[in-house]
Amino acid sequence: MSEITPRTDLRARPRRLRAGDALRRLVREVRLHPEMLVAPLFVRPGRRVREPISSLPGQMRLSPDELVREVDGLADLGIQAVLLFGVPDAKDTEGSGAYADDGIVQEAVRLLRGGNRALVIMTDVCLCAYTDHGHCGIVAGEHVDNDVTLGLLARTAASHAASGADVVAPSAMMDGQVVAIREALDASGFSQVGVMAYAAKYASAFYGPFREAAGSSPQFGDRRTYQMDPANVREALREVALDAEQGADIIMIKPAHAYLDVIRAARESVALPIAAYHVSGEYAMLKAAAQLGWIEERRATLEVLTAIRRAGADIIITYAAADAARWLAEGTGG
């Protein structure tokens, strides 16, 4: 075997810029910061309730008073935005708890806003956690009636705005939901309230832990007639374009980690801010693997969030927000 003579005349040596941590940080192309993270939180009736969610380690269903404590803790970590999901005690066919003036989300928003916190309060606008059938709209036979549902989604959004929400986030994937909500907000005097549209929300298997947390599993069928086929990208861009035309202020892609190509394609197709939802199943898999000792949780989580950012997301909604903010403050990753 002939001896290989080492090269000594290479001018381009990319390793030069990887020689030390300070140098690597200096040339880093994508950075994470707590200010771009949104913490999804579940709020339920009661007082002094912190109810663990078994499939989402570290996450709780919180009563409004405990929600305030949680948000204050997140603010200390530099997280300035939350996305609220309601977990009501009672459900009915039309999901009336979603748009009730004394609904659980409305109560929580008023309590948070009353504290005059420098906080962006986002609220999920959907009916599935409030309907006894678990679908995201009004059911006719075995189908969800799109146009009848629009009125209730608009009513829900207006009630959240009246309580003090800064941004409402329609997630039902009904055609025309953004324009219906925009018109309702404007007609009610809430033209300053933004709409973060779940523009490309896929019918994903990664939502399982969320459905346990919110108690929102459909009681029959599935959601594939209104949520998107995981195989489609062009359809996602059409949804993005439609929501932008209808007045969305922020476009969301959900899930995030398994759909980096969709985030990238959306980034290149629209100038609006892009939010990506690192969903419950994606978070739970990281937690489970870390608990088994198969991955290093801190590095793996920050790597995933960095990949979502690198794909083009401006905003990342993640259950790992608090952990990530803490790790970033400690100087690890990002």
Side-chain angles (χ1 to χ4, degrees):
M1 184 174 179
S2 60
E3 185 174 339
I4 298 175
T5 303
R7 290 287 302 273
T8 58
D9 59 345
L10 290 176
R11 294 189 177 186
R13 292 181 181 272
R15 290 185 57 188
R16 291 186 189 117
L17 299 183
R18 304 175 197 147
D21 192 58
L23 190 53
R24 289 193 292 270
R25 285 178 178 276
L26 187 66
V27 299
R28 185 161 293 153
E29 299 175 25
V30 173
R31 300 175 193 275
L32 293 175
H33 192 280
E35 290 180 347
M36 67 181 59
L37 303 178
V38 178
L41 297 171
F42 299 93
V43 57
R44 52 147 298 169
R47 282 187 55 77
R48 306 186 69 176
V49 176
R50 297 182 69 86
E51 185 177 40
I53 301 166
S54 61
S55 57
L56 284 174
Q59 305 299 309
M60 308 271 181
R61 299 182 194 89
L62 304 164
S63 54
D65 56 320
E66 291 293 330
L67 177 75
V68 170
R69 291 182 52 194
E70 187 75 13
V71 168
D72 287 344
L74 291 170
D76 290 341
L77 295 170
I79 297 170
Q80 303 178 342
V82 296
L83 175 59
L84 302 184
F85 294 89
V87 186
D89 278 342
K91 302 172 186 275
D92 58 34
T93 303
E94 297 195 340
S96 61
Y99 42 87
D101 290 338
D102 60 351
I104 184 59
V105 167
Q106 290 83 350
E107 178 187 351
V109 172
R110 282 193 291 268
L111 196 58
L112 288 173
R113 187 54 74 209
N116 293 319
R117 295 168 180 78
L119 174 72
V120 178
I121 303 176
M122 300 176 167
T123 58
D124 182 72
V125 175
C126 194
L127 300 179
C128 58
Y130 303 88
T131 56
D132 51 14
H133 46 71
H135 279 285
C136 300
I138 301 305
V139 169
E142 293 190 351
H143 300 282
V144 173
D145 188 321
N146 188 94
D147 295 359
V148 171
T149 300
L150 293 181
L152 298 184
L153 294 175
R155 187 173 171 184
T156 301
S159 73
H160 290 179
S163 299
D166 299 293
V167 177
V168 295
S171 64
M173 286 298 284
M174 294 297 113
D175 293 340
Q177 63 182 8
V178 172
V179 67
I181 287 172
R182 185 70 270 160
E183 289 177 354
L185 292 174
D186 292 348
S188 302
F190 301 118
S191 59
Q192 80 286 1
V193 173
V195 176
M196 178 169 68
Y198 286 65
K201 180 180 180 182
Y202 286 88
S204 171
F206 290 107
Y207 302 153
F210 174 92
R211 290 175 182 170
E212 181 208 334
S216 61
S217 296
Q219 299 304 300
F220 63 87
D222 55 42
R223 294 180 176 138
R224 285 182 290 181
T225 63
Y226 43 103
Q227 296 180 359
M228 286 181 46
D229 186 334
N232 294 351
V233 177
R234 294 194 302 272
E235 182 186 12
L237 298 183
R238 183 167 183 245
E239 291 277 9
V240 166
L242 286 170
D243 283 359
E245 291 170 9
Q246 290 176 24
D249 300 285
I250 301 170
I251 293 295
M252 189 204 291
I253 308 299
K254 179 183 180 181
H257 189 191
Y259 293 80
L260 298 177
D261 59 324
V262 182
I263 296 172
R264 169 55 60 185
R267 174 69 289 153
E268 293 173 351
S269 74
V270 67
L272 292 171
I274 300 285
Y277 199 146
H278 179 230
V279 299
S280 60
E282 296 172 323
Y283 167 85
M285 286 195 301
L286 288 168
K287 283 288 185 183
Q291 289 173 356
L292 289 168
W294 292 348
I295 62 170
E296 184 181 334
E297 181 182 1
R298 177 183 301 210
R299 289 188 60 195
T301 301
L302 291 175
E303 186 175 333
V304 167
L305 298 181
T306 299
I308 295 168
R309 174 80 172 134
R310 193 180 66 236
D314 305 290
I315 300 165
I316 303 175
I317 303 161
T318 175
Y319 300 93
D323 286 339
R326 195 174 299 110
W327 295 330
L328 290 171
E330 293 169 357
T332 305

